[in-house]
Amino acid sequence: MSHKRIPKRKAAIAAGGVAALGAAALLLPHANASQDGAPGASAAPRTLKSTDASDLAAQLSNLLGDAFAGSYYDAGKQQLVVNVVPGDDNNVIIQAKKAGAAVREVDNSLAELKAGAQTLKREASIPGTAWAVDPRTDKILVTADSTVTGAKWNRLESTVRGLGSGMATLKKSAGTFKTFVSGGDAIFGGGARCSLGFNVTASDGSPAFLTAGHCGVAAQQWSDSQNGQPIATVDQAVFPGNGDFALVKYDDPNTQAPSEVNVGGGQTVQISQAADATVGQQVFRMGSTTGLHDGQVLGLDATVNYPEGTVTGLIQTDVCAEPGDSGGSLFTQDGLAVGLTSGGSGDCTSGGETFFQPVTTALQATGATLGAGGGQAGGGQEQGAGQDQGAGQEQGAGQEGAGQEQGAGQEQGGEQAGGGDAGAGDQAGAGDQAGAGDGSDTGDGMGAGGHAGAGGGGAEEGNSGLTETH
């Protein structure tokens, strides 16, 4: 994120090239045109932006009660699909259709799926595993990384099988689940390198920023340059436990901290407020190591068993990330803050899974506000069923974990990404140098929201909109 103490830098986009957002992401049309008629006048699903679909999903969750079994956004049809367990009362289907959703009858209730997730937590909290409810399949998606073998794999497989037929799917990931510490518009502290996610205003009115919690527990003070003087101090940090987020206050109360994300080529996306993620929603991640990438939300309320401990309440996506991307911003093309990069597996060549801390719950837990007007939760407007969406659920206090791993990097721009454990005094390369290195287990964090750091390829300039690369 841009602020007075960190000069703007050109963001270099990762090797592989970029395409204009309009060609690949598509600007989704506003829903207003199909919402002007009388409520319930037509049972046809409404055309919705993904953010409007998130609002409608929250309202229908309240309206349908136990019959609501999750929802997802169908980007191709630009519709919200709502899963319903009708039972003996088909009125819930009528209500959902009148509100403008496409309705799908399913077997597994949300309560049953959440109970299955609790069973996994109790019996299979094995480092290298993760799970989240996938409303598109009406099942729990369970993922195991490459370290889950032998007796650990047998235990996980047996637990999944014990949930019953049709309750869960189990898949293997080629990579290893780890946090991504290091950075773009880098911040440095205690030998770790991370990045800002979004600039915010703390509850006492002081300027601050959000980043990953595993960065916040690695060091108390953070600088905007390698071996530089501290510019910000951690106020709150949660990791592991009920989230992965930290609130870091600028030491200078006059720091200018605009609410924007630098997407390269001299362009920024203004961040207006935070929003809850919706499965199927297209999202963008900006990182210093890999530049701008996009993908879809795959699951919500995900549990990830990192080597440092279990983290709950995350967003699961197929957006790639690499060491150097931790703490950075996940957002929508129309300027809604969605998440902070936590960790995952794979890379931006072979793909993988990446998990994000929801911004709404981080704001709720810290008491901070974001954007003009300080919106904490997405939407909050009357729509569809006519109920207001509340703020995100309150995030617990979590445990403070140990310092994060920071693997060996490569020399670039005359500076070197250091190896070893975060907080051990090893140094990472400057945030304005190209690429944070490709060493495995590098302890890097994501590019700062306002100043994404250099990526692996040449800088992309003169674009007429957001850019992306797969």
Side-chain angles (χ1 to χ4, degrees), residues 306-328:
Y306 292 122
E308 300 89 348
T310 299
V311 179
T312 60
L314 301 183
I315 302 166
Q316 183 171 350
T317 77
D318 63 2
V319 186
C320 71
E322 296 183 8
D325 293 336
S326 244

Side-chain angles (χ1 to χ4, degrees), residues 291-304:
L292 184 68
H293 284 263
D294 76 305
Q296 286 192 351
V297 175
L298 300 180
L300 304 176
D301 197 20
T303 295
V304 185

Side-chain angles (χ1 to χ4, degrees), residues 111-324:
E112 290 171 329
L113 293 171
K114 289 183 176 180
Q118 286 299 312
T119 299
L120 287 164
K121 181 179 180 180
R122 185 173 60 252
E123 300 181 7
S125 287
I126 302 165
T129 61
W131 49 82
V133 172
D134 179 6
R136 289 174 296 186
T137 62
D138 189 41
K139 296 180 180 179
I140 304 168
L141 174 61
V142 184
T143 308
D145 73 13
S146 59
T147 67
V148 182
T149 59
K152 292 188 291 185
W153 170 261
N154 292 338
R155 175 180 159 196
L156 178 63
E157 190 175 39
S158 175
T159 303
V160 169
R161 188 166 53 246
L163 296 177
S165 176
M167 281 293 294
T169 56
L170 176 59
K171 73 169 189 175
K172 266 280 196 180
S173 173
T176 301
F177 291 153
K178 58 183 178 294
T179 53
F180 297 135
V181 189
S182 194
D185 210 48
I187 53 175
F188 301 83
R193 185 161 86 121
C194 288
S195 296
L196 290 83
F198 298 98
N199 278 324
V200 297
T201 300
S203 59
D204 62 0
S206 60
F209 62 83
L210 294 175
T211 189
H214 61 265
C215 301
V217 300
Q220 187 68 17
Q221 291 186 306
W222 291 85
S223 171
D224 59 356
S225 62
Q226 186 177 0
N227 299 323
Q229 291 297 312
I231 64 164
T233 303
V234 174
D235 181 72
Q236 303 175 49
V238 172
F239 178 85
N242 296 327
D244 185 2
F245 60 89
L247 176 70
V248 187
K249 292 183 178 180
Y250 292 108
D251 296 334
D252 181 356
N254 296 316
T255 296
Q256 299 299 309
S259 186
E260 62 185 28
V261 174
N262 185 338
V263 296
Q267 300 174 73
T268 60
V269 172
Q270 295 300 310
I271 300 298
S272 59
Q273 63 180 10
D276 293 321
T278 302
V279 172
Q281 179 181 33
Q282 185 167 34
V283 285
F284 291 82
R285 178 195 58 73
M286 193 66 199
S288 62
T289 303
T290 56
L292 184 68
H293 284 263
D294 76 305
Q296 286 192 351
V297 175
L298 300 180
L300 304 176
D301 197 20
T303 295
V304 185
N305 294 295
Y306 292 122
E308 300 89 348
T310 299
V311 179
T312 60
L314 301 183
I315 302 166
Q316 183 171 350
T317 77
D318 63 2
V319 186
C320 71
E322 296 183 8

Side-chain angles (χ1 to χ4, degrees), residues 358-458:
V359 171
T360 53
T361 50
L363 291 173
Q364 181 74 9
T366 60
T369 55
L370 182 150
Q376 289 191 13
Q381 303 172 352
E382 291 187 359
Q383 177 183 351
Q387 300 183 10
D388 291 340
Q389 179 177 355
Q393 295 180 349
E394 189 167 342
Q395 195 69 282
Q399 302 172 355
E400 291 194 356
Q404 311 310 313
E405 290 184 357
Q406 180 169 336
Q410 293 181 330
E411 289 189 358
Q412 7 190 345
E415 296 180 290
Q416 182 173 2
D421 291 335
D426 297 315
Q427 296 173 347
D432 57 350
Q433 301 300 325
D438 58 1
S440 62
D441 293 331
T442 305
D444 276 4
M446 177 185 221
H451 305 286

